[in-house]
């Protein structure tokens, strides 16, 4: 059963009252998810689930314990409350625990998800068929997913927090494969179905797959690159994990450590976390019931700050920006709705300006080489092309890169005017443009 925001908040408030601790917090997540999966140009799976989960955090002094359940009768709630208190009794003291945050009550208006709500199995099947059609017509093979999610989040605690909201999204992905090593990728994500064009998405992936057949090799070296929005999203996602949260900053393990206020990259680059931006899918509250704030992270190339939760805001003496994850977690607060400022040119004009370079559709298997310098390594995937004399020419076999991102962003050629919402798949989303970068280090061929 999926609860409304109001029903979820009533459940959270009731659970707090059952928890005999110095302080108590209840988080209720309730949602439904449905997914249509296709492969070999046909639908082969439809799955759907509904679940409501309650997580209780009990605090005894500076000791905290957590327990959770998806059994919602009174007896189960009481057992969960007792388990959280018992866990707190056996937990080590944490002198840094500032207590649960205070706050206000109320249900926040969620996003208009009417279009998501009616995106049932029939409509998902229609979308999948439209995505598959261009691949099938061209003798290619498509695989991917079309999914619908609707969810509510409610948080209540013994210090007056009682907030809830709701949202939803539709996601679609397609990987189209052709003969002779060609492959193409496209995806879509939105909190409504406005602008979702499955046929165009399928055609884009099929066209890329057809053009990338029989790829050629390229010698390692430093090249000018045009990164499509999906590739930029891959980079931004790692910046969020490695540096834009307060925990790595406090541990001096972030590329922002000791550099707040410093010019890090080209002044045309601005990155913020903005869960409430019109084109994103973020919720208005975090998992402590705090309002999510828009946080400038890099502004005109200058490092401005990080996102926080109650624990790290108190530890670092910073404002609480409302970016808590469910407790406990090893990550601290995270920026899950990153947004890069738009530029003033088109992707086509970027390509036209390059005499010799590489076009990258997206990256794959990205990992960290040096977190303090933000050096990443990974591979290109599903559409890598040579740019010669302002034109996409021959397809390239996938390339490995090893690149300092701050250095790459300091050699910026241009930023695209159009931004695309990309969902990395582990929660959150990035709103990103294409980028033209003057220097990018490819270190090998991967096949």
């Amino acid at each position: 059963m999926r609860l409304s925001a109001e029903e979820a908040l009533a459940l959270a408030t009731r659970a707090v009252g059952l928890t005999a601790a110095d302080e108590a917090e209840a988080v209720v997540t309730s949602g439904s998810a449905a997914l249509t999966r296709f492969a070999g140009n046909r639908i082969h799976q439809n799955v759907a689930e509904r679940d409501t989960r309650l997580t209780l955090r009990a605090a005894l002094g500076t000791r905290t314990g957590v327990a959770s359940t998806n059994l919602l009768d009174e007896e189960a709630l009481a057992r969960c409350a007792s388990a959280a208190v018992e866990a707190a009794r056996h937990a080590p003291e944490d002198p840094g625990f500032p207590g649960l945050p205070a706050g206000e009550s109320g249900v926040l208006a969620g996003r208009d998800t009417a279009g998501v709500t009616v995106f049932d199995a029939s409509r998902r099947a229609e979308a999948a068929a439209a995505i598959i059609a261009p691949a099938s017509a061209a003798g290619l093979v498509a695989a991917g997913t079309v999914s619908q999610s609707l969810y509510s989040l409610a948080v209540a605690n013994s210090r007056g927090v009682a907030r809830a909201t709701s949202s939803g999204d539709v996601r679609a992905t397609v990987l189209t494969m052709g003969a002779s090593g060609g492959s193409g990728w496209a995806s879509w994500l939105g909190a409504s179905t406005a602008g979702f064009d499955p046929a165009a998405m399928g055609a884009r992936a099929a066209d890329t797959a057809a053009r990338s057949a029989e790829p050629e090799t390229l010698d390692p070296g430093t090249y000018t690159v045009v990164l499509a929005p999906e590739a930029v999203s891959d980079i931004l996602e790692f910046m969020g994990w490695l540096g834009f949260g307060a925990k790595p900053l406090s541990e001096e393990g972030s590329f922002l450590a000791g550099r707040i206020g410093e010019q890090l990259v080209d002044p045309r680059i601005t990155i913020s976390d903005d869960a409430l931006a019109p084109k994103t899918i973020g919720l208005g509250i975090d998992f402590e019931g705090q309002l999510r704030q828009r946080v400038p992270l890099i502004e005109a190339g200058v490092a401005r700050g990080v996102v926080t939760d109650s624990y790290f805001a108190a530890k670092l003496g910073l404002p609480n920006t409302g970016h808590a994850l469910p407790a406990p977690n090893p990550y601290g607060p995270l920026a899950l709705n990153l947004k890069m400022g738009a530029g003033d040119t088109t992707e086509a004009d970027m390509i036209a300006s390059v005499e010799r370079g590489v076009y990258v559709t997206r990256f794959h298997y990205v990992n960290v080489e040096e977190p303090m310098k933000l050096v990443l390594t990974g591979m290109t995937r599903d559409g890598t092309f040579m740019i010669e004399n302002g034109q996409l020419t021959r397809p390239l076999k996938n390339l490995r890169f090893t690149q300092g991102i701050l250095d790459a962003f300091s050699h910026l050629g241009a930023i695209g005017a159009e931004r695309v919402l990309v969902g990395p798949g582990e929660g959150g989303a990035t709103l990103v443009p294409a980028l033209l970068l003057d220097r990018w280090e490819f270190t090998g061929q991967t096949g």
Side-chain angles (χ1 to χ4, degrees):
M1 179 177 65
R2 174 166 58 86
L3 303 181
S4 67
E6 291 81 0
E7 292 169 330
L9 184 56
L11 173 61
T13 303
R14 191 162 78 249
V16 168
L18 294 172
T19 310
D22 296 339
E23 296 181 312
E25 174 191 78
V27 177
V28 174
T29 55
S30 184
S32 62
L35 179 143
T36 298
R37 194 186 303 275
F38 56 93
N41 291 347
R42 65 181 183 85
I43 294 172
H44 69 96
Q45 187 179 46
N46 261 306
V47 294
E49 64 174 347
R50 291 171 180 253
D51 191 26
T52 296
R53 177 164 292 273
L54 164 72
T55 299
L56 276 167
R57 178 162 54 149
L60 299 173
T62 61
R63 303 174 190 269
T64 61
V66 172
S68 64
T69 182
N70 63 355
L71 298 175
L72 305 179
D73 58 86
E74 289 300 316
E75 184 179 345
L77 296 183
R79 280 201 306 272
C80 185
S82 296
V85 173
E86 190 63 17
R89 286 198 181 98
H90 295 282
E93 291 195 8
D94 180 357
F97 177 61
L100 297 176
E104 300 176 354
S105 62
V107 175
L108 278 66
R111 296 178 184 274
D112 180 4
T113 55
V116 178
T117 303
V118 299
F119 207 69
D120 58 11
S122 294
R123 295 198 179 190
R124 294 196 306 276
E126 291 172 0
I131 293 170
I132 291 169
S136 183
L140 307 172
V141 179
T145 60
V146 182
S147 66
Q148 170 218 47
S149 297
L150 292 158
Y151 38 88
S152 299
L153 169 66
V155 183
N157 74 23
S158 55
R159 298 198 61 199
V161 170
R163 279 200 169 108
T165 191
S166 60
S167 192
D169 60 67
V170 168
R171 296 173 187 247
T173 63
V174 58
L175 173 63
T176 299
M177 305 293 292
S180 305
S183 65
W185 169 266
S187 72
W188 194 89
L189 170 63
S192 78
T193 53
F196 180 33
D197 187 341
M201 183 181 147
R204 189 164 68 252
D207 177 65
T208 303
R211 289 188 293 117
S212 61
E214 299 183 356
E216 300 178 7
T217 59
L218 180 70
D219 290 335
T222 303
Y223 293 85
T224 297
V225 293
V226 174
L227 304 184
E230 293 256 7
V232 177
S233 175
D234 292 330
I235 300 303
L236 225 61
E237 182 186 3
F238 271 83
M239 294 181 77
W241 281 93
L242 294 173
F244 290 148
K247 184 178 181 185
L249 183 74
S250 73
E251 295 171 345
E252 299 187 348
S254 159
F255 59 88
L256 293 184
R259 305 187 71 180
I260 301 299
E262 184 178 327
Q263 187 83 37
L264 289 185
V265 295
D266 187 282
R268 288 170 290 175
I269 290 182
T270 290
I271 301 171
S272 62
D273 187 86
D274 190 359
L276 301 180
K279 292 183 179 179
T280 64
I281 59 171
L283 291 165
I285 59 173
D286 70 359
F287 287 87
E288 292 182 324
Q290 305 300 298
L291 297 178
R292 290 187 183 274
Q293 309 294 319
R294 179 187 178 278
V295 181
L297 302 163
I298 293 178
E299 205 167 42
V302 177
R304 290 302 184 198
V306 295
V307 300
T308 63
D309 57 12
S310 65
Y311 187 98
F312 284 97
K315 183 172 184 176
L316 297 175
L318 297 172
N320 186 347
T321 64
H323 287 79
L325 297 183
N329 71 80
Y331 310 109
L334 282 182
L336 296 176
N337 295 275
L338 290 167
K339 180 175 74 173
M340 179 178 281
D344 58 1
T345 189
T346 66
E347 191 175 294
D349 284 342
M350 291 183 197
I351 294 169
S353 70
V354 177
E355 183 177 342
R356 187 169 189 270
V358 177
Y359 177 87
V360 178
T361 298
R362 66 169 180 152
F363 292 119
H364 169 62
Y365 207 63
V366 179
N367 222 318
V368 184
E369 284 256 329
E370 293 184 64
M372 296 296 289
K373 295 181 178 178
L374 194 55
V375 176
L376 302 180
T377 186
M379 294 171 279
T380 65
R381 189 180 190 186
D382 304 324
T384 306
F385 296 93
M386 199 72 205
I387 306 172
E388 294 168 306
N389 300 317
Q391 301 284 332
L392 294 184
T393 56
R394 53 197 169 98
L396 298 173
K397 291 184 178 180
N398 288 321
L399 299 161
R400 171 165 289 282
F401 72 88
T402 302
Q403 177 64 54
I405 302 306
L406 300 182
D407 178 64
F409 282 7
S410 297
H411 292 84
L412 177 70
I415 304 177
E418 180 184 359
R419 291 181 296 181
V420 175
L421 187 65
V422 180
E426 289 82 23
T430 55
L431 185 62
V432 286
L435 292 179
L436 170 63
L437 301 172
D438 294 334
R439 294 172 53 84
W440 191 268
E441 190 74 19
F442 290 111
T443 51
Q445 198 88 58
T446 66

